[in-house]
Amino acid sequence: MDRSRRTPVIAGNWKMNLGPAACRALLEELLAELPADPGCEVLVCPPYLDLPLAAELLVGSPVALGAQNCHWENAGAYTGEIAPAMLREAGCRAVIVGHSERRQYFGETDETAGRRLAAAVEEGLTGILCVGESLADREAGEELAVCARQLAGGLSGIDAAGLSRVILAYEPVWAIGTGRTATAEEAGRVCRALRRMAAERYGEEAAAGLRILYGGSMNEKNARELLAQPDIDGGLIGGAALAAGRFCGIIAACGEEGVL
Ligand code: PEP
């Protein structure tokens, strides 16, 4: 499928790191280092508390703002949750849903990830749906079956029009925060399979426009090789997004000749 239709995305997931003071310092450094035209979409997803400050700092910059989760309702008695409409009001354009840490520590299921994604898309946000197998799944040769199940559940409330507001992130759990990256070929193979699954559900045309990111210990050194895979359209970056130089290194790799 022709990848020239897909603008690459480099997204930083800060997780539960960096309060407002540190957020300001990192974004100021990032904006000073980043070229005016980075050659790809750049997104940062700080903790909720940083969002208003980040939105202010990012005005007029090539960096878009996202959040790390959202609820499926826009208001109500859901202590500790945050609504898609609130994220939009705070200046977010995107939101991550179904991250493996939400699945592992906070009881996220395919069904709840699907409800969050549908609500985010309905609100006009871009939803980044994370899927990926555990080490045990992979050792059992189950990685595609697990990804297929997570994809079907996550996309259950998304129709063909909604798919244009969805980005997939393939994040093998065993590669997140471990320093252990999937080989470019392995990651590329699963992303190709994910695109095929999307084509079966939404048709070739829609799947050809779907952006699929790789996440899991991507850094400024391995990014080039991963991004050169024809079905990998960018990265979801955790640890390496917390240092401006490393994040910019990944963004620069995305723009290198022959990578995309
Ligand atoms: C992530 O949290 O989505 C992630 C990929 O983390 P890391 O880059 O640190 O593995």
Side-chain angles (χ1 to χ4, degrees):
M1 293 187 194
D2 175 16
R3 79 185 306 197
S4 65
R5 286 181 47 192
R6 305 190 294 267
T7 307
V9 188
I10 300 296
N13 172 15
W14 293 8
K15 313 193 188 197
M16 196 176 71
N17 294 297
L18 313 183
C23 166
R24 176 185 291 279
L26 177 56
L27 288 183
E28 284 177 353
E29 210 184 323
L30 180 63
L31 294 179
E33 280 192 37
L34 205 60
D37 178 6
C40 63
E41 285 179 21
V42 179
L43 177 73
V44 291
C45 301
Y48 299 131
L49 189 62
D50 296 344
L51 293 176
L53 168 68
E56 207 181 295
L57 293 169
L58 296 178
V59 169
S61 83
V63 181
L65 187 62
Q68 299 173 21
N69 192 20
C70 68
H71 197 258
W72 49 84
E73 297 290 348
N74 260 336
Y78 301 103
T79 303
E81 289 288 325
I82 194 146
M86 294 170 184
L87 296 180
R88 225 160 73 98
E89 191 181 338
C92 290
R93 301 246 307 273
V95 61
I96 298 167
V97 301
H99 191 278
S100 64
E101 288 151 15
R102 300 297 316 170
R103 295 176 191 264
Q104 188 177 351
Y105 304 125
F106 302 102
E108 186 81 88
T109 64
D110 296 335
E111 196 237 324
T112 54
R115 294 178 76 184
R116 294 181 205 283
L117 184 70
V121 166
E122 176 78 11
E123 191 54 43
L125 295 165
T126 293
I128 302 176
L129 173 66
C130 301
V131 300
E133 80 285 356
S134 67
L135 189 57
D137 296 329
R138 173 158 285 253
E139 283 171 354
E142 291 289 316
E143 64 272 17
L144 295 186
V146 168
C147 289
R149 194 196 66 226
Q150 293 176 344
L151 196 69
L155 294 177
S156 59
I158 300 295
D159 61 13
L163 193 71
S164 63
R165 286 211 171 275
V166 172
I167 293 174
L168 294 184
Y170 168 56
E171 300 209 307
V173 179
W174 48 270
I176 296 179
T178 58
R180 191 175 159 192
T181 323
T183 65
E185 290 71 28
E186 274 173 328
R189 175 180 70 87
V190 178
C191 290
R192 185 163 59 252
L194 287 171
R195 196 178 303 287
R196 206 177 331 108
M197 293 171 207
E200 281 160 20
R201 188 179 173 103
Y202 297 100
E204 295 289 334
E205 181 65 18
L210 176 66
R211 287 169 307 168
I212 304 179
L213 316 183
Y214 168 79
S217 299
M218 189 189 270
N219 59 41
E220 65 285 13
K221 299 195 180 81
N222 60 28
R224 193 182 196 287
E225 203 186 347
L226 287 157
L227 295 169
Q229 288 290 314
D231 284 288
I232 297 182
D233 305 311
L236 181 55
I237 321 297
L242 298 175
R246 300 187 70 195
F247 195 53
C248 285
I250 298 171
I251 293 163
C254 201
E256 275 174 34
E257 201 174 331
V259 169
L260 294 165

